[in-house]
Amino acid sequence: MQIKTITEQEIQQYRAETRGTAERIHFNNAGSALPPDVVVETVVNYLNEEAVFGGYETEFKYSAELDNIYPLIARLINANDDEIALVENASTAWGIAFNGISFKKGDVIITSEMEYVTNLISFLNVQQSQGVELKVIANDEQGNFPLHELEAAISPQTKLIAVTHIPSTAGGMIPIVEIGKIARRHNILYLVDACQSAGQIPVDVREIDCDMLSVTGRKYLRAPRGTGFLYVRKAVQDKLKLFFMDGFSAPSVSMEAYRPRDDARRFELYEKNRALTLGLGKAVEYALDIGVDRIWQRIQYLADLLRSQLQNIDGITVHDIGDQKCGIVTFSVKGIDSAAVKNKLGEKHINVSVGKAISTRIYMDKNHLSSIVRASVHYYNTEEELQQLCTELAAL
Ligand SMILES: Cc1ncc(COP(=O)(O)O)c(C=O)c1O
């Protein structure tokens, strides 16, 4: 189906609805995007009501809106409402899923070179504590994930395939749909880190065919910091260990037994920040109203344009490789440290970030990168902003 391109008029409207766009040129959307004003107002208004009417009383008043977050997120990723758990960030979401798996000595985890640091640490933890083996499938020379090598690496010991869709410090992407097909064919648990993906590119858990998927709110979804969610396929929920519970996650308790809820909210605890939860819901609604396919089309356009403009500037090396690229544009400036580039751009009211080697350890070490400059574009950025970034970089 033909995607209806976001018009110039719509861009101006989205910018008018985002007060931060008037203050700065924000290319740190992979760190934390500028939230729409309506998201901020939702959070602030809710906190004010709590202060005046009481926390539980305000929760009661907004119970329908708070419950509605689950169907909204379910729509965003094509899941069912009972497959979503709200958590504080992507690392918690991913950790609940990963640490819920019962590993034994000799089990094998397969991952890619793009895996995020949180996840890598957890792999090393079960490697050291439980004798689980880790296999890393490296990208080929062109920066593409070799699916045939994944297929060849699978053995009866393979317990889990875990990949990060969009890495923290590179513009390439991992083919999660194709990997999902392989995981399903071999009946292997499949965990996807979609932290940078949600709100940037359409994410469809049925198409990906993953068992678990983790997301944060503050990045491309434009939600407040301290929000995130976990998707767990219904059929897999009973297979994951629960390592903490309260009366919300296990509402049936007697002195003989307790029973967890029969939905993904068993992975949550009762107490959470309701103001932020509502803010997350607003942000999801905002993205759905625009259409994530339209957002993705614009992000690709801006990122491609930025890469080609950067390539024309003397002394700049763009590092992104691979056939499929996203809104994260990574580069370095000859003779100038990434942090210094970021600081100099900051003086001109341009936000970029520094991608550290630790964040994507395997990929960065393989490419001998200790850090990179990361300019991550969102749909509300403009061509004029790209031009301004390039002008400042050329002046460096
Ligand atoms: C690819 C990826 N996965 C996971 C995370 C962790 O997200 P959070 O900080 O919300 O735990 C990040 C954060 O930058 C990330 O880039």
Side-chain angles (χ1 to χ4, degrees):
M1 204 174 61
Q2 185 79 13
I3 295 169
K4 206 166 131 252
T5 303
I6 300 180
T7 64
E8 196 48 47
Q9 201 182 0
E10 284 174 302
I11 300 297
Q12 290 317 318
Q13 180 199 327
Y14 303 142
R15 290 177 67 80
E17 292 169 357
T18 306
R19 76 179 81 141
T21 57
E23 304 291 326
R24 317 273 300 179
I25 296 180
H26 191 68
F27 291 129
N28 191 11
N29 297 292
S32 187
L34 298 175
D37 296 343
V38 66
V39 169
V40 182
E41 282 153 18
T42 300
V43 175
V44 172
N45 290 345
Y46 189 93
L47 285 176
N48 278 325
E49 289 208 39
E50 274 189 338
V52 174
F53 300 111
Y56 283 69
E57 292 72 12
T58 307
E59 179 186 357
F60 181 71
K61 179 178 165 193
Y62 284 93
S63 52
E65 287 87 344
L66 287 162
D67 267 350
N68 192 40
I69 310 292
Y70 298 90
L72 277 172
I73 293 174
R75 236 178 86 203
L76 180 76
I77 62 168
N78 193 24
N80 292 328
D81 306 1
D82 60 359
E83 295 175 314
I84 309 295
L86 296 176
V87 292
E88 296 85 349
N89 51 61
S91 296
T92 304
W94 194 94
I96 289 171
F98 178 79
N99 291 292
I101 300 169
S102 302
F103 289 107
K104 62 176 189 321
K105 190 171 167 22
D107 282 345
V108 176
I109 298 170
I110 303 183
T111 190
S112 91
E113 67 178 48
M114 294 304 195
E115 201 61 1
Y116 186 65
V117 56
T118 303
N119 318 355
L120 184 60
I121 293 168
S122 296
F123 298 151
L124 298 175
N125 183 28
V126 291
Q127 190 179 51
Q128 286 159 20
S129 62
Q130 294 181 58
V132 170
E133 197 192 320
L134 180 63
K135 276 191 194 164
V136 180
I137 307 293
N139 282 350
D140 63 21
E141 295 268 294
Q142 287 73 43
N144 294 317
F145 182 86
L147 290 162
H148 59 282
E149 284 189 27
L150 168 66
E151 187 106 44
I154 290 172
S155 72
Q157 284 69 45
T158 308
K159 177 82 178 180
L160 174 72
I161 297 174
V163 292
T164 294
H165 183 204
I166 295 184
S168 174
T169 61
M173 292 163 72
I174 293 293
I176 51 173
V177 172
E178 291 75 8
I179 293 175
K181 290 195 173 74
I182 296 174
R184 186 63 49 207
R185 200 158 56 240
H186 293 269
N187 196 22
I188 295 166
L189 271 179
Y190 182 30
L191 167 57
V192 173
D193 176 334
C195 181
Q196 297 284 1
S197 323
Q200 172 170 189
I201 176 169
V203 171
D204 179 334
V205 291
R206 301 280 174 246
E207 189 193 12
I208 302 163
D209 217 353
C210 56
D211 296 300
M212 299 151 289
L213 179 130
S214 54
V215 169
T216 209
R218 72 182 181 283
K219 297 181 188 290
Y220 278 87
L221 269 179
R222 308 183 64 196
R225 296 195 68 170
T227 58
F229 64 85
L230 169 67
Y231 157 81
V232 183
R233 180 202 293 277
K234 185 80 182 137
V236 170
Q237 290 173 12
D238 278 340
K239 296 190 182 136
L240 295 185
K241 286 178 292 182
L242 292 162
F243 44 98
F244 45 74
M245 277 167 269
D246 64 6
F248 175 82
S249 31
S252 159
V253 187
S254 70
M255 288 311 285
E256 285 75 43
Y258 67 89
R259 211 178 60 237
R261 295 172 62 110
D262 61 5
D263 60 22
R265 282 176 237 185
R266 65 173 63 183
F267 301 108
E268 294 181 15
L269 295 178
Y270 165 71
E271 180 53 10
K272 53 180 70 72
N273 189 322
R274 263 94 190 153
L276 295 186
T277 303
L278 274 190
L280 170 66
K282 267 287 166 245
V284 171
E285 226 177 332
Y286 198 87
L288 287 171
D289 283 349
I290 298 171
V292 183
D293 52 347
R294 303 176 74 216
I295 291 174
W296 175 227
Q297 187 192 50
R298 170 135 179 116
I299 288 175
Q300 284 175 290
Y301 168 72
L302 290 175
D304 285 350
L305 187 61
L306 179 56
R307 284 190 191 99
S308 63
Q309 288 176 348
L310 289 174
Q311 265 147 3
N312 287 332
I313 302 175
D314 257 2
I316 290 197
T317 308
V318 176
H319 295 291
D320 307 328
I321 50 170
D323 294 343
Q324 257 210 315
K325 295 192 194 69
C326 64
I328 298 178
V329 178
T330 69
F331 60 94
S332 46
V333 183
K334 195 171 174 197
I336 311 181
D337 177 62
S338 303
V341 175
K342 171 185 173 265
N343 292 340
K344 282 186 190 298
L345 291 171
E347 287 166 15
K348 306 286 179 187
H349 304 282
I350 300 175
N351 297 345
V352 296
S353 60
V354 174
K356 298 194 189 108
I358 184 180
S359 300
T360 320
R361 184 89 260 170
I362 310 169
Y363 160 82
M364 294 291 274
D365 286 358
K366 176 180 154 184
N367 290 287
H368 312 290
L369 295 166
S370 57
S371 71
I372 42 91
V373 185
R374 185 177 73 170
S376 42
V377 300
H378 215 325
Y379 62 89
Y380 56 72
N381 290 126
T382 62
E383 291 173 34
E384 293 71 37
E385 288 183 327
L386 300 185
Q387 192 53 57
Q388 221 166 319
L389 169 65
C390 291
T391 304
E392 294 303 338
L393 284 169
L396 287 182

